[in-house]
Amino acid sequence: MIRTATPDDVPVLHAMIRELAAYEKEPEQARATEEQLREALFGERPAVFAHVAEADGEPVGFALWFLNFSTWRGVHGIYLEDLYVRPHARGGGHGRALLTELARICVARGYERLEWAVLNWNAPSIGFYESLGARPQDEWTTYRLTDGALAALGGTGAGSAD
């Protein structure tokens, strides 16, 4: 069963995010708190959304996503930030069901893209995604500014409209 997350799901979502970080070999990078997650999902102006996969009433996975926008297509899409299914529940169709729900939302709302990133070493996930018809965007390289580099650039006023 796939359902929209509720505020009561925040603790289990937080736990699964930490499990995902450990699976991706970077547990120390998962610094978000339950309070931050609650505000992002259910605050005054939610900017992210989540769905929960359940088996026998137990949360076994989740998808956390937000809207993006294609200037070329002129419409929104969904960017899937995290998709995770707990190890004991893998192979049970939960990941596919979560992606199916996001694809359904895209179709219903006229969104034209469902996008996400996957680590290059994560062969099981890559195989799964490709089995659904997803294709890698090999011509693009993702860049990221965080921590000190972000602070250094943001503190210079570079790129501001002032």
Side-chain angles (χ1 to χ4, degrees):
M1 178 181 115
I2 305 301
R3 62 175 176 76
T4 302
T6 69
D8 291 339
D9 292 314
V10 168
V12 74
L13 288 170
H14 186 257
M16 286 192 284
I17 288 168
R18 297 191 56 76
E19 291 169 25
L20 174 60
Y23 173 77
E24 292 183 351
K25 303 174 182 157
E26 296 210 48
E28 69 283 351
Q29 295 301 319
R31 299 183 300 212
T33 66
E34 286 186 25
E35 294 75 25
Q36 289 172 313
L37 194 56
R38 185 177 320 281
E39 180 63 26
L41 288 165
F42 305 107
E44 187 176 318
R45 293 180 316 202
V48 296
F49 309 93
H51 285 79
V52 174
E54 287 187 340
D56 300 321
E58 173 198 356
V60 295
F62 76 99
L64 191 135
W65 57 277
F66 55 88
L67 294 180
N68 60 15
F69 185 80
S70 170
T71 56
W72 288 17
R73 294 188 176 222
V75 296
H76 283 290
I78 286 178
Y79 187 84
L80 175 61
E81 178 66 20
D82 286 329
L83 176 70
Y84 179 72
V85 175
R86 287 181 156 159
H88 73 275
R90 291 183 187 149
H94 306 293
R96 181 183 186 91
L98 286 162
L99 284 171
T100 298
E101 176 61 12
L102 296 186
R104 186 199 64 74
I105 292 169
C106 285
V107 170
R109 296 181 186 177
Y111 303 161
E112 294 189 13
R113 289 182 179 166
L114 172 55
E115 296 179 312
W116 62 92
V118 60
L119 290 163
N120 291 333
W121 58 259
N122 194 345
S125 292
I126 292 168
F128 167 64
Y129 298 143
E130 289 182 354
S131 77
L132 299 175
R135 295 294 169 251
Q137 301 298 298
D138 294 338
E139 63 276 7
W140 294 90
T141 299
T142 302
Y143 282 84
R144 178 180 294 160
L145 281 171
T146 60
D147 303 326
L150 179 62
L153 183 59
T156 65
S160 70
D162 296 345

